[in-house]
mmCIF file of all heavy atoms in Angstrom:
data_model
loop_
_atom_site.group_PDB
_atom_site.id
_atom_site.type_symbol
_atom_site.label_atom_id
_atom_site.label_comp_id
_atom_site.label_asym_id
_atom_site.label_seq_id
_atom_site.Cartn_x
_atom_site.Cartn_y
_atom_site.Cartn_z
ATOM 1 N N GLN A 153 -1.401 16.531 3.451
ATOM 2 C CA GLN A 153 -1.295 16.015 4.819
ATOM 3 C C GLN A 153 -0.795 14.570 4.817
ATOM 4 O O GLN A 153 0.019 14.189 5.649
ATOM 5 C CB GLN A 153 -2.647 16.108 5.524
ATOM 6 C CG GLN A 153 -3.072 17.532 5.823
ATOM 7 C CD GLN A 153 -4.522 17.615 6.249
ATOM 8 O OE1 GLN A 153 -5.400 16.997 5.647
ATOM 9 N NE2 GLN A 153 -4.778 18.385 7.297
ATOM 10 N N VAL A 154 -1.285 13.775 3.882
ATOM 11 C CA VAL A 154 -0.850 12.389 3.779
ATOM 12 C C VAL A 154 0.633 12.343 3.408
ATOM 13 O O VAL A 154 1.410 11.593 3.997
ATOM 14 C CB VAL A 154 -1.721 11.616 2.758
ATOM 15 C CG1 VAL A 154 -1.180 10.225 2.513
ATOM 16 C CG2 VAL A 154 -3.167 11.554 3.246
ATOM 17 N N LEU A 155 1.025 13.175 2.454
ATOM 18 C CA LEU A 155 2.427 13.233 2.044
ATOM 19 C C LEU A 155 3.325 13.670 3.190
ATOM 20 O O LEU A 155 4.425 13.138 3.368
ATOM 21 C CB LEU A 155 2.602 14.165 0.856
ATOM 22 C CG LEU A 155 2.107 13.603 -0.473
ATOM 23 C CD1 LEU A 155 2.036 14.701 -1.526
ATOM 24 C CD2 LEU A 155 2.984 12.476 -0.941
ATOM 25 N N ALA A 156 2.868 14.621 3.988
ATOM 26 C CA ALA A 156 3.674 15.083 5.123
ATOM 27 C C ALA A 156 3.906 13.946 6.115
ATOM 28 O O ALA A 156 5.014 13.789 6.646
ATOM 29 C CB ALA A 156 2.995 16.271 5.809
ATOM 30 N N THR A 157 2.880 13.148 6.369
ATOM 31 C CA THR A 157 3.031 12.000 7.267
ATOM 32 C C THR A 157 4.027 10.999 6.684
ATOM 33 O O THR A 157 4.888 10.487 7.398
ATOM 34 C CB THR A 157 1.665 11.324 7.509
ATOM 35 O OG1 THR A 157 0.795 12.282 8.129
ATOM 36 C CG2 THR A 157 1.782 10.097 8.398
ATOM 37 N N ALA A 158 3.917 10.744 5.395
ATOM 38 C CA ALA A 158 4.841 9.813 4.748
ATOM 39 C C ALA A 158 6.268 10.350 4.779
ATOM 40 O O ALA A 158 7.205 9.628 5.135
ATOM 41 C CB ALA A 158 4.398 9.561 3.305
ATOM 42 N N LYS A 159 6.445 11.600 4.440
ATOM 43 C CA LYS A 159 7.788 12.193 4.406
ATOM 44 C C LYS A 159 8.435 12.212 5.785
ATOM 45 O O LYS A 159 9.656 12.108 5.896
ATOM 46 C CB LYS A 159 7.731 13.598 3.832
ATOM 47 C CG LYS A 159 7.490 13.617 2.343
ATOM 48 C CD LYS A 159 7.382 15.046 1.831
ATOM 49 C CE LYS A 159 7.068 15.064 0.352
ATOM 50 N NZ LYS A 159 6.903 16.441 -0.149
ATOM 51 N N ALA A 160 7.633 12.306 6.821
ATOM 52 C CA ALA A 160 8.177 12.309 8.186
ATOM 53 C C ALA A 160 8.826 10.973 8.540
ATOM 54 O O ALA A 160 9.564 10.883 9.515
ATOM 55 C CB ALA A 160 7.075 12.648 9.195
ATOM 56 N N GLN A 161 8.576 9.952 7.740
ATOM 57 C CA GLN A 161 9.135 8.625 8.005
ATOM 58 C C GLN A 161 10.460 8.378 7.280
ATOM 59 O O GLN A 161 11.064 7.311 7.431
ATOM 60 C CB GLN A 161 8.123 7.542 7.620
ATOM 61 C CG GLN A 161 6.778 7.691 8.289
ATOM 62 C CD GLN A 161 6.882 7.897 9.787
ATOM 63 O OE1 GLN A 161 7.543 7.130 10.475
ATOM 64 N NE2 GLN A 161 6.244 8.944 10.288
ATOM 65 N N VAL A 162 10.902 9.350 6.495
ATOM 66 C CA VAL A 162 12.183 9.202 5.796
ATOM 67 C C VAL A 162 13.269 8.954 6.835
ATOM 68 O O VAL A 162 13.333 9.612 7.861
ATOM 69 C CB VAL A 162 12.503 10.449 4.948
ATOM 70 C CG1 VAL A 162 13.932 10.404 4.414
ATOM 71 C CG2 VAL A 162 11.504 10.575 3.802
ATOM 72 N N GLY A 163 14.104 7.965 6.555
ATOM 73 C CA GLY A 163 15.163 7.596 7.485
ATOM 74 C C GLY A 163 14.851 6.346 8.283
ATOM 75 O O GLY A 163 15.706 5.839 9.000
ATOM 76 N N THR A 164 13.635 5.829 8.150
ATOM 77 C CA THR A 164 13.284 4.577 8.824
ATOM 78 C C THR A 164 14.214 3.479 8.318
ATOM 79 O O THR A 164 14.459 3.374 7.117
ATOM 80 C CB THR A 164 11.816 4.200 8.529
ATOM 81 O OG1 THR A 164 10.967 5.208 9.067
ATOM 82 C CG2 THR A 164 11.461 2.849 9.124
ATOM 83 N N THR A 165 14.736 2.693 9.223
ATOM 84 C CA THR A 165 15.644 1.619 8.834
ATOM 85 C C THR A 165 15.090 0.268 9.261
ATOM 86 O O THR A 165 14.253 0.183 10.161
ATOM 87 C CB THR A 165 17.039 1.805 9.480
ATOM 88 O OG1 THR A 165 16.890 1.835 10.892
ATOM 89 C CG2 THR A 165 17.692 3.089 9.000
ATOM 90 N N GLU A 166 15.576 -0.762 8.583
ATOM 91 C CA GLU A 166 15.195 -2.139 8.879
ATOM 92 C C GLU A 166 16.257 -2.776 9.758
ATOM 93 O O GLU A 166 17.394 -2.319 9.801
ATOM 94 C CB GLU A 166 15.109 -2.942 7.581
ATOM 95 C CG GLU A 166 14.101 -2.400 6.605
ATOM 96 C CD GLU A 166 14.187 -3.088 5.245
ATOM 97 O OE1 GLU A 166 15.250 -3.680 4.933
ATOM 98 O OE2 GLU A 166 13.208 -3.026 4.513
ATOM 99 N N ASP A 167 15.893 -3.869 10.408
ATOM 100 C CA ASP A 167 16.889 -4.645 11.133
ATOM 101 C C ASP A 167 17.612 -5.576 10.148
ATOM 102 O O ASP A 167 17.353 -5.538 8.944
ATOM 103 C CB ASP A 167 16.251 -5.425 12.286
ATOM 104 C CG ASP A 167 15.207 -6.436 11.839
ATOM 105 O OD1 ASP A 167 15.234 -6.888 10.670
ATOM 106 O OD2 ASP A 167 14.355 -6.805 12.666
ATOM 107 N N ALA A 168 18.508 -6.389 10.619
ATOM 108 C CA ALA A 168 19.313 -7.270 9.765
ATOM 109 C C ALA A 168 18.466 -8.268 8.978
ATOM 110 O O ALA A 168 18.901 -8.780 7.946
ATOM 111 C CB ALA A 168 20.338 -8.023 10.607
ATOM 112 N N ASN A 169 17.251 -8.540 9.418
ATOM 113 C CA ASN A 169 16.359 -9.470 8.731
ATOM 114 C C ASN A 169 15.491 -8.794 7.679
ATOM 115 O O ASN A 169 14.625 -9.431 7.092
ATOM 116 C CB ASN A 169 15.462 -10.190 9.741
ATOM 117 C CG ASN A 169 16.253 -11.044 10.689
ATOM 118 O OD1 ASN A 169 17.184 -11.724 10.286
ATOM 119 N ND2 ASN A 169 15.901 -10.998 11.958
ATOM 120 N N GLY A 170 15.678 -7.482 7.485
ATOM 121 C CA GLY A 170 14.861 -6.758 6.513
ATOM 122 C C GLY A 170 13.522 -6.336 7.067
ATOM 123 O O GLY A 170 12.597 -6.049 6.322
ATOM 124 N N GLY A 171 13.412 -6.285 8.359
ATOM 125 C CA GLY A 171 12.135 -5.921 8.967
ATOM 126 C C GLY A 171 12.312 -5.142 10.237
ATOM 127 O O GLY A 171 13.276 -4.412 10.419
ATOM 128 N N GLY A 172 11.346 -5.318 11.114
ATOM 129 C CA GLY A 172 11.383 -4.658 12.407
ATOM 130 C C GLY A 172 10.922 -3.219 12.397
ATOM 131 O O GLY A 172 11.038 -2.531 13.400
ATOM 132 N N THR A 173 10.373 -2.750 11.277
ATOM 133 C CA THR A 173 9.897 -1.371 11.246
ATOM 134 C C THR A 173 8.576 -1.258 11.993
ATOM 135 O O THR A 173 7.864 -2.248 12.178
ATOM 136 C CB THR A 173 9.688 -0.861 9.806
ATOM 137 O OG1 THR A 173 8.600 -1.570 9.217
ATOM 138 C CG2 THR A 173 10.948 -1.005 8.958
ATOM 139 N N LYS A 174 8.238 -0.049 12.380
ATOM 140 C CA LYS A 174 6.952 0.149 13.055
ATOM 141 C C LYS A 174 5.788 -0.146 12.116
ATOM 142 O O LYS A 174 4.709 -0.521 12.564
ATOM 143 C CB LYS A 174 6.846 1.549 13.639
ATOM 144 C CG LYS A 174 6.842 2.671 12.648
ATOM 145 C CD LYS A 174 6.791 4.008 13.392
ATOM 146 C CE LYS A 174 7.031 5.176 12.494
ATOM 147 N NZ LYS A 174 7.071 6.425 13.262
ATOM 148 N N PHE A 175 6.014 -0.021 10.804
ATOM 149 C CA PHE A 175 4.947 -0.299 9.840
ATOM 150 C C PHE A 175 4.633 -1.793 9.821
ATOM 151 O O PHE A 175 3.466 -2.179 9.806
ATOM 152 C CB PHE A 175 5.357 0.171 8.436
ATOM 153 C CG PHE A 175 6.092 1.471 8.448
ATOM 154 C CD1 PHE A 175 7.399 1.541 8.007
ATOM 155 C CD2 PHE A 175 5.493 2.618 8.947
ATOM 156 C CE1 PHE A 175 8.086 2.735 8.039
ATOM 157 C CE2 PHE A 175 6.176 3.817 8.984
ATOM 158 C CZ PHE A 175 7.480 3.876 8.526
ATOM 159 N N GLN A 176 5.660 -2.613 9.825
ATOM 160 C CA GLN A 176 5.473 -4.062 9.834
ATOM 161 C C GLN A 176 4.870 -4.530 11.152
ATOM 162 O O GLN A 176 3.970 -5.368 11.168
ATOM 163 C CB GLN A 176 6.811 -4.766 9.578
ATOM 164 C CG GLN A 176 7.319 -4.548 8.157
ATOM 165 C CD GLN A 176 8.800 -4.764 8.050
ATOM 166 O OE1 GLN A 176 9.574 -4.169 8.788
ATOM 167 N NE2 GLN A 176 9.206 -5.602 7.117
ATOM 168 N N LYS A 177 5.362 -3.986 12.265
ATOM 169 C CA LYS A 177 4.817 -4.354 13.579
ATOM 170 C C LYS A 177 3.360 -3.950 13.693
ATOM 171 O O LYS A 177 2.528 -4.694 14.213
ATOM 172 C CB LYS A 177 5.658 -3.724 14.684
ATOM 173 C CG LYS A 177 7.048 -4.315 14.774
ATOM 174 C CD LYS A 177 7.894 -3.572 15.789
ATOM 175 C CE LYS A 177 9.334 -4.084 15.786
ATOM 176 N NZ LYS A 177 10.205 -3.277 16.628
ATOM 177 N N TRP A 178 3.038 -2.746 13.219
ATOM 178 C CA TRP A 178 1.656 -2.271 13.251
ATOM 179 C C TRP A 178 0.769 -3.211 12.445
ATOM 180 O O TRP A 178 -0.292 -3.645 12.910
ATOM 181 C CB TRP A 178 1.556 -0.844 12.692
ATOM 182 C CG TRP A 178 0.156 -0.452 12.355
ATOM 183 C CD1 TRP A 178 -0.808 -0.039 13.232
ATOM 184 C CD2 TRP A 178 -0.455 -0.489 11.064
ATOM 185 N NE1 TRP A 178 -1.982 0.191 12.547
ATOM 186 C CE2 TRP A 178 -1.781 -0.079 11.220
ATOM 187 C CE3 TRP A 178 -0.005 -0.822 9.788
ATOM 188 C CZ2 TRP A 178 -2.668 0.005 10.152
ATOM 189 C CZ3 TRP A 178 -0.885 -0.732 8.726
ATOM 190 C CH2 TRP A 178 -2.194 -0.322 8.908
ATOM 191 N N TYR A 179 1.192 -3.540 11.220
ATOM 192 C CA TYR A 179 0.376 -4.389 10.370
ATOM 193 C C TYR A 179 0.185 -5.767 10.994
ATOM 194 O O TYR A 179 -0.930 -6.298 11.015
ATOM 195 C CB TYR A 179 0.971 -4.515 8.963
ATOM 196 C CG TYR A 179 -0.014 -5.138 8.010
ATOM 197 C CD1 TYR A 179 -0.942 -4.360 7.337
ATOM 198 C CD2 TYR A 179 -0.059 -6.518 7.833
ATOM 199 C CE1 TYR A 179 -1.878 -4.928 6.497
ATOM 200 C CE2 TYR A 179 -0.990 -7.097 6.991
ATOM 201 C CZ TYR A 179 -1.900 -6.300 6.328
ATOM 202 O OH TYR A 179 -2.838 -6.879 5.505
ATOM 203 N N ALA A 180 1.279 -6.349 11.513
ATOM 204 C CA ALA A 180 1.212 -7.688 12.109
ATOM 205 C C ALA A 180 0.206 -7.746 13.244
ATOM 206 O O ALA A 180 -0.427 -8.778 13.480
ATOM 207 C CB ALA A 180 2.592 -8.120 12.585
ATOM 208 N N SER A 181 0.029 -6.636 13.952
ATOM 209 C CA SER A 181 -0.895 -6.618 15.084
ATOM 210 C C SER A 181 -2.300 -6.147 14.698
ATOM 211 O O SER A 181 -3.197 -6.116 15.539
ATOM 212 C CB SER A 181 -0.340 -5.730 16.202
ATOM 213 O OG SER A 181 -0.330 -4.378 15.787
#
Side-chain angles (χ1 to χ4, degrees):
Q153 291 168 315
V154 173
L155 286 167
T157 299
K159 287 178 183 178
Q161 305 311 308
V162 170
T164 297
T165 58
E166 300 171 339
D167 62 23
N169 296 318
T173 68
K174 65 182 170 184
F175 320 117
Q176 292 158 306
K177 292 174 185 173
W178 164 79
Y179 192 87
S181 67

